[in-house]
């Protein structure tokens, strides 16, 4: 899987976290593992320009998605095995996201992870223009985000347990560690 990320926003953002959540969504949504994705983080003025140019709406927004290949999650059962594709571009505005995070009462990193999932779902053909579409997309968005957080928590717990085990085994003389 190839994901390129370019931070042109002027804000310090955890690019690794954004890459991790994007990879998670790609895996969960059965997108070919060799798919390509581009993520660009921009400032408010750049996002406002894109928003007017592509959506004919004034002012900046939080996330915009520009799909490249027509994709369907999981593909069709009667279709030949899908190959790699170019998903498209996700454009995030960290400053706009930071303002939204303050209003929502959660960290900016959470808002950016949520917007990454949202943008990925748009690239995969989901929309929220109609109430039924909105219910489906936001339900899936919340589910994917919760599952990603659970995976992150599990990995952190496993790392803590592994470190504890190495320390205990080192003290017992079973493993050479710098601490023993």
């Amino acid at each position: 899987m190839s994901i390129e990320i370019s931070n042109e926003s002027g804000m310090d953002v955890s690019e690794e976290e954004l890459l991790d959540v994007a990879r998670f969504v790609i895996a969960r949504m059965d997108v070919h593992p060799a798919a390509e994705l581009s993520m660009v983080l921009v400032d408010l003025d750049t996002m406002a320009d894109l928003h007017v140019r592509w959506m004919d709406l004034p002012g900046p927004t939080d996330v915009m998605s520009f799909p490249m290949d027509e994709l369907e999650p999981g593909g069709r059962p009667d279709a030949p095995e899908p190959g790699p594709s170019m998903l498209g571009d996700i454009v995030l505005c960290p400053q706009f996201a930071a303002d939204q995070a303050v209003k929502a009462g959660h960290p900016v990193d959470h808002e950016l992870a949520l917007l990454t999932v949202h943008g990925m779902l748009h690239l995969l053909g989901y929309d929220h223009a109609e109430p039924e579409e909105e219910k489906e997309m936001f339900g899936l968005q919340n589910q994917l985000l919760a599952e990603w957080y659970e995976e992150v928590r599990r990995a952190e717990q496993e790392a803590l347990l592994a470190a504890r085990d190495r320390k205990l085994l080192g003290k017992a003389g079973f493993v050479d560690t710098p601490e023993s």
Side-chain angles (χ1 to χ4, degrees), residues 8-174:
E8 303 168 6
S9 71
M11 287 186 65
D12 186 29
V13 173
S14 173
E15 293 175 19
E16 198 55 46
E17 190 169 280
L18 296 179
L19 291 170
D20 189 53
V21 73
R23 285 183 189 110
F24 180 85
V25 172
I26 286 170
R28 279 293 193 274
M29 297 301 293
D30 293 326
V31 175
H32 193 283
E36 297 178 30
L37 169 68
S38 171
M39 298 177 71
V40 182
L41 286 65
V42 298
D43 60 25
L44 287 168
D45 291 337
T46 302
M47 185 58 101
D49 181 56
L50 290 170
H51 203 210
V52 168
R53 189 177 331 158
W54 293 98
M55 303 296 292
D56 201 25
L57 295 170
T61 189
D62 49 9
V63 61
M64 293 182 71
S65 298
F66 299 92
M68 295 296 278
D69 292 337
E70 294 285 328
L71 299 176
E72 292 182 20
R76 293 174 38 104
D78 60 344
E81 189 66 31
S85 59
M86 177 61 181
L87 291 177
D89 304 316
I90 295 175
V91 181
L92 295 166
C93 184
Q95 182 59 54
F96 198 93
D99 295 341
Q100 284 185 160
V102 168
K103 290 175 187 168
H106 56 242
V108 177
D109 288 346
H110 172 77
E111 186 72 18
L112 288 168
L114 181 143
L115 293 173
T116 299
V117 173
H118 188 87
M120 293 290 302
L121 290 176
H122 276 304
L123 291 181
L124 295 172
Y126 289 88
D127 201 0
H128 48 84
E130 300 296 325
E132 289 178 22
E133 293 174 332
E134 181 177 339
K135 183 179 179 181
E136 178 186 18
M137 182 176 176
F138 282 77
L140 182 56
Q141 173 182 294
N142 293 338
Q143 175 188 340
L144 288 167
L145 196 58
E147 289 174 0
W148 176 70
Y149 276 121
E150 181 58 34
E151 185 173 278
V152 168
R153 277 190 288 276
R154 191 173 311 127
E156 289 171 350
Q157 184 65 27
E158 288 173 5
L160 286 172
L161 291 173
R164 184 201 66 189
D165 290 348
R166 281 191 305 276
K167 186 176 180 179
L168 289 172
L169 290 171
K171 286 184 179 182
F174 293 113

